[in-house]
Amino acid sequence: MDLQPSDQSGGSGRDGGASLPRDPVFLASLASSLLDQGVAALVYVDRNGVCLHTDDRFAAALALAPADLIGKALAGFDHPVLSALAETIATVTRMPDVDALPLDCQSVGRDGHPAILSGTVMAHRDGGGATLGHLGVFHDTGDPDRIAQFAACRDTFVATLLDAAVDGIIVSDRTGIIRSINRACCRLFGYRDSELVGRNMTMLMPPPFSRDHDRFVDSYMKTDRAKIIGIGRETLGQRKDGTVFPIHLSVGEARTGNSVTFVGIIRDLSERLAAEKRASYLARHDPLTGVLTRTAFLEECEALFESRTDAAGGLDGGLFALFSLDVDQFSDVNEAFGFHVGDAALKAMVNRVTEVLPANTIICRIAADEFAALARVADVGHARRLADLLHDRLTASIYADRHWVRLRLSVGAAVQDDGVHTLEELNAKAKLALQAVQHDGGNAVCFYTPEMAAAATRRMMLTMHLTHAIEREELHLVYQPIVDSEGRVRSAEALLRWNHHVLGPVSPSEFIPVAEESGLIVPITDWVLTSAIAQMARWEAEGVLPDRVFLNISGQQFLRGNLTQRLEELLAQHPSLRRHLGLEITEQAAVRDLKVAVRTLGELAELGIQAAIDDFGSGYSSLSYVQQLPVAKLKIDRAFVIDVPENPKNNALVRAAVGMARGLGLVTVAEGVETAEQRDFLVSVGCDLMQGYLFGRPMAPDALAAMVRGQRVPTGS
Ligand code: C2E
Ligand code: MG
Ligand code: MG
């Protein structure tokens, strides 16, 4: 054993009476005898606090070598065991009556395992009671139970407080060795208390942070300034099972004399971050379909658009195409099958959009049944092919929640060109194209053209003016006669006219769609019903009322309005007019919601009001649909009549329609009859009634009355 007497240790010359002689030989023999038993760890410290002797066992328990300690003052170390030893020595020194005090302290040995040094610090005094030095005799134990027990013997009040805390609390020394840890912290990291006490904090951090921590401690040791003291920061923790999770760590520092203790308060951020992530996801994504919301879409597209256009003057090997999609009358799906089917159909739609459009396309849901997609395309032709494919795929049957659904879809599209500098411009063009499709009846694809902007402006202006048309008395009805094969007026169709005080006459084929899009069709229809019934009452009084007067009812009004109820109200004072009133509804409106149509037409029939299917053949339905409807008349669209008898195909179609309608017990009316040849053909195939310029243009009520009056004379004679 190598003993190096300290310079400061000698000098008193009073060794003789020491209770424990300061004789190196004695010390060595004592040490050896204890060592032989294989239990003791020894250290001798002189009265100046300098370590004069230590054996390898003691040094090893402190993760040091004897040479690190011998000849050095304890105060020069920052080690929990040496600090505890120095404190105990100070206590013994202050108490002359006490020769020895027990000391238990934690340590991490050279082998890296936690251990407890447990033993006694004895005073080495001379005969006069003066302290010469202190001998520490310890045994060390790595027994986990003993360590756990030791950990449990902390101050119970403090321990209770710590354990009651929701946050994790770790107490460590300045080297990062954990002295104490509360229950929340154990739970957080998945360790038992005894697995942590005495180990380095870094075991709770994933690698980059644990390295940083070591560096931080190093720098702290050098500068004595800790960067995170008092300030919290977000970092990562690592659980026993290796999983890494976000934590908020704030560290406090307690100094007692030379010794420093750190208290770390750790809060698990996983839940908060997950909630934040979810909230920001929800703010940016449509919860139903998972695609972006409108705002997020605009942001992402804007960024993409700018980055791409900056790079290569806008073209960068491709163009941006914006597709604006809107399901026509999507509410019909919800109403017919329920929202779950509607939702499933929307999800399927998004899947199909994703399939059809190139990867990296940005998709968003703008409104319930409205989507937009920004895609990169090679050229305009590519965009057109994609748009057609989109329309084909999205209008193909969708199996949604145990129902087959077929959607009608309007697609408006715009492709980036020299005139498009921002996303907003492209978006505006795609929207105009969408409006154009919808205005033309929907269920089609339309690419932006410059005329659309003008048309949209006109529609907007018309909408504005139409709002005041009723109060300004700019609306009136004209009546077109409907004649039988002998040319006698049997009924009439009321047609709406709008004569704007500045714009002049506006065609119903222009303003009726505007009225439908803006919802103005509701008050307008009401005005038509009221005016026509008033006119019929006058004609009845004059004895010139035709068998039936037909009014046009728009699909929207027919399917949603409280039509039957309103007619009952209006006819209450004129019950006799019921069997003279007829309503024309388009084939599209009737088949769009067959259930509602059947019910409404049934109610009307009960009132005595007859219904006719208008523009038959212009839509996509067939007689198989029509036969389910309680209607009395079928009006064959002008498009079929226009080139009979020259066009053999139309001849065959008209003949077939008349034949089938007959079979179903329906009266046929041919629209748009302009020539005698057309009339003769129609009569020859058995068409019951005809309407067209040949017999009379839409005319003022008095003119129609005159016609009716005029033909009554020969009949009566
Ligand atoms: P519609 O119900 O099919 O009306 C027949 C249209 O054909 C009328 O056009 C009529 O003037 C026109 N017409 C009749 N005979 C001939 C002909 O021999 N040759 C040609 N070229 N055309 C003929 P109009 O009055 O311009 O009405 C257009 C459409 O506007 C109507 O088509 C109807 O769908 C709608 N409409 C008119 N009035 C109303 C109304 O009061 N309410 C609603 N909801 N729609 C209306
Ligand atoms: Mg009509
Ligand atoms: Mg018609």
Side-chain angles (χ1 to χ4, degrees):
M1 187 163 283
D2 180 21
L3 282 179
Q4 297 178 359
S6 146
D7 290 347
Q8 307 103 4
S9 62
S12 73
R14 291 186 291 170
D15 290 0
S19 56
L20 186 66
R22 196 183 155 228
D23 172 1
V25 182
F26 169 79
L27 284 175
S29 71
L30 172 68
S32 313
S33 67
L34 286 164
L35 274 177
D36 288 345
Q37 295 166 32
V39 290
L42 290 179
V43 60
Y44 185 84
V45 180
D46 75 7
R47 62 177 168 192
N48 297 311
V50 175
C51 171
L52 282 194
H53 169 75
T54 174
D55 61 358
D56 188 58
R57 194 176 288 264
F58 182 78
L62 274 64
L64 295 169
D68 297 332
L69 284 165
I70 293 172
K72 312 235 168 75
L74 294 189
F77 291 88
D78 180 18
H79 191 287
V81 172
L82 296 178
S83 305
L85 180 62
E87 260 171 49
T88 311
I89 288 173
T91 314
V92 177
T93 309
R94 279 198 305 273
M95 300 190 290
D97 298 342
V98 175
D99 287 332
L101 279 178
L103 172 62
D104 282 338
C105 53
Q106 279 172 263
S107 181
V108 175
R110 268 208 299 262
D111 57 6
H113 289 298
I116 288 176
L117 279 180
S118 189
T120 313
V121 177
M122 293 175 270
H124 175 203
R125 295 189 174 111
D126 66 12
T131 302
L132 301 173
H134 292 87
L135 177 67
V137 182
F138 301 99
H139 63 272
D140 73 315
T141 175
D143 173 12
D145 290 343
R146 171 84 178 89
I147 295 170
Q149 201 187 349
F150 182 84
C153 285
R154 292 169 301 169
D155 179 317
T156 45
F157 176 68
V158 175
T160 309
L161 274 184
L162 293 183
D163 284 341
V166 178
D167 290 330
I169 299 173
I170 296 186
V171 179
S172 82
D173 67 16
R174 65 192 298 166
T175 63
I177 300 298
I178 299 171
R179 292 240 188 109
S180 164
I181 188 155
N182 73 342
R183 216 169 275 158
C185 207
C186 290
R187 255 198 318 272
L188 205 58
F189 288 91
Y191 285 100
R192 277 182 297 129
D193 180 309
S194 59
E195 291 174 301
L196 290 172
V197 171
R199 305 286 305 272
N200 198 297
M201 295 260 300
T202 52
M203 70 187 284
L204 302 177
M205 307 168 186
F209 293 93
S210 49
R211 258 202 323 275
D212 286 354
H213 182 265
D214 286 345
R215 223 177 315 129
F216 156 78
V217 170
D218 283 349
S219 111
Y220 178 78
M221 302 290 271
K222 286 189 195 104
T223 64
D224 238 26
R225 269 184 29 237
K227 291 209 180 74
I228 58 167
I229 300 297
I231 328 159
R233 65 166 172 162
E234 290 184 5
T235 176
L236 295 176
Q238 185 169 33
R239 296 193 185 88
K240 187 179 179 182
D241 63 10
T243 52
V244 172
F245 65 109
I247 56 171
H248 181 272
L249 171 69
S250 57
V251 180
E253 185 201 59
R255 281 177 187 267
T256 31
N258 273 341
S259 86
V260 176
T261 304
F262 292 120
V263 180
I265 298 185
I266 296 169
R267 179 164 293 181
D268 183 0
L269 295 183
S270 324
E271 275 178 29
R272 197 195 83 196
L273 290 186
E276 277 174 11
K277 219 165 130 190
R278 173 119 190 98
S280 93
Y281 181 89
L282 283 179
R284 296 184 67 80
H285 292 83
D286 167 43
L288 177 69
T289 60
V291 296
L292 293 177
T293 57
R294 209 181 90 89
T295 325
F297 173 78
L298 291 178
E299 273 169 28
E300 294 206 1
C301 291
E302 195 86 63
L304 183 69
F305 201 85
E306 270 163 24
S307 71
R308 293 294 183 115
T309 42
D310 287 352
L315 302 183
D316 193 17
L319 299 167
F320 283 113
L322 197 88
F323 301 95
S324 217
L325 318 179
D326 194 348
V327 183
D328 303 343
Q329 289 91 35
F330 182 71
S331 49
D332 291 357
V333 176
N334 284 334
E335 277 167 30
F337 304 107
F339 283 96
H340 51 292
V341 175
D343 285 354
L346 289 172
K347 282 192 214 164
M349 263 186 81
V350 167
N351 287 341
R352 291 182 185 190
V353 173
T354 319
E355 277 163 31
V356 170
L357 295 181
N360 300 332
T361 295
I362 307 180
I363 305 171
C364 89
R365 185 171 177 206
I366 297 208
D369 59 347
E370 215 183 315
F371 296 87
L374 183 77
R376 299 284 289 170
V377 295
D379 49 33
V380 177
H382 183 204
R384 286 190 187 277
R385 286 193 299 281
L386 287 177
D388 288 338
L389 197 60
L390 260 183
H391 191 264
D392 284 355
R393 288 287 295 129
L394 270 70
T395 51
S397 301
I398 292 176
Y399 188 67
D401 203 35
R402 287 172 287 126
H403 291 272
W404 285 101
V405 178
R406 275 191 90 133
L407 301 176
R408 289 164 49 91
L409 179 77
S410 297
V411 181
V415 182
Q416 182 188 9
D417 60 20
D418 295 343
V420 171
H421 303 293
T422 62
L423 173 78
E424 238 162 82
E425 287 165 2
L426 192 65
N427 199 16
K429 290 183 171 178
K431 280 235 85 122
L432 279 174
L434 178 65
Q435 281 173 23
V437 196
Q438 291 172 327
H439 185 75
D440 293 343
N443 199 28
V445 173
C446 185
F447 273 73
Y448 169 82
T449 62
E451 300 77 53
M452 284 173 188
T457 312
R458 165 127 178 126
R459 283 200 299 273
M460 246 171 68
M461 183 200 59
L462 289 182
T463 310
M464 248 165 54
H465 290 306
L466 198 56
T467 318
H468 306 289
I470 297 177
E471 74 208 35
R472 289 187 183 148
E473 298 185 351
E474 291 173 348
L475 299 180
H476 70 275
L477 286 172
V478 289
Y479 297 85
Q480 188 175 27
I482 297 171
V483 305
D484 61 18
S485 56
E486 283 149 33
R488 287 150 47 92
V489 178
R490 304 301 295 267
S491 50
E493 177 178 5
L495 293 159
L496 186 58
R497 295 292 175 260
W498 178 24
N499 201 358
H500 185 261
H501 61 288
V502 178
L503 302 170
V506 184
S507 159
S509 29
E510 190 178 11
F511 76 80
I512 293 289
V514 167
E516 284 178 341
E517 278 159 29
S518 61
L520 286 170
I521 194 70
V522 177
I524 288 177
T525 305
D526 202 69
W527 182 90
V528 170
L529 298 177
T530 316
S531 310
I533 288 170
Q535 182 58 55
M536 286 167 72
R538 282 195 291 277
W539 278 335
E540 187 181 45
E542 294 166 26
V544 288
L545 181 63
D547 291 352
R548 288 277 171 185
V549 176
F550 284 90
L551 311 181
N552 290 285
I553 301 293
S554 83
Q556 219 189 86
Q557 189 77 4
F558 176 69
L559 293 176
R560 272 183 252 307
N562 48 350
L563 190 64
T564 322
Q565 195 193 332
R566 183 68 183 130
L567 281 168
E568 267 187 292
E569 274 168 32
L570 291 171
L571 291 168
Q573 279 125 46
H574 313 280
S576 59
L577 291 184
R578 287 180 178 185
R579 51 186 189 83
H580 289 283
L581 189 64
L583 299 182
E584 291 186 9
I585 57 161
T586 61
E587 162 191 11
Q588 275 181 26
V591 301
R592 198 188 302 148
D593 193 336
L594 212 57
K595 246 176 28 203
V596 176
V598 169
R599 195 187 60 224
T600 311
L601 292 173
E603 289 167 3
L604 292 170
E606 268 177 40
L607 290 180
I609 299 169
Q610 210 177 57
I613 296 292
D614 204 355
D615 305 341
F616 179 74
S618 65
Y620 52 81
S621 70
S622 63
L623 270 177
S624 69
Y625 273 108
V626 171
Q627 61 144 357
Q628 302 177 44
L629 296 166
V631 294
K633 285 197 172 86
L634 204 64
K635 295 188 78 174
I636 299 168
D637 197 64
R638 192 164 68 86
F640 296 96
V641 176
I642 204 160
D643 52 1
V644 292
E646 297 90 44
N647 182 339
K649 211 169 138 199
N650 277 355
N651 292 354
L653 281 171
V654 172
R655 192 177 276 120
V658 172
M660 284 192 287
R662 272 260 166 91
L664 294 171
L666 301 178
V667 169
T668 44
V669 185
E671 295 186 291
V673 184
E674 294 185 3
T675 67
E677 289 75 26
Q678 289 169 340
R679 176 197 59 199
D680 295 343
F681 171 80
L682 291 162
V683 172
S684 76
V685 298
C687 182
D688 305 295
L689 298 167
M690 287 161 291
Q691 176 181 359
Y693 296 169
L694 181 66
F695 315 104
R697 293 200 170 232
M699 54 188 80
D702 288 350
L704 188 88
M707 258 184 104
V708 173
R709 207 174 282 122
Q711 72 187 7
R712 210 178 38 188
V713 182
T715 325
S717 64

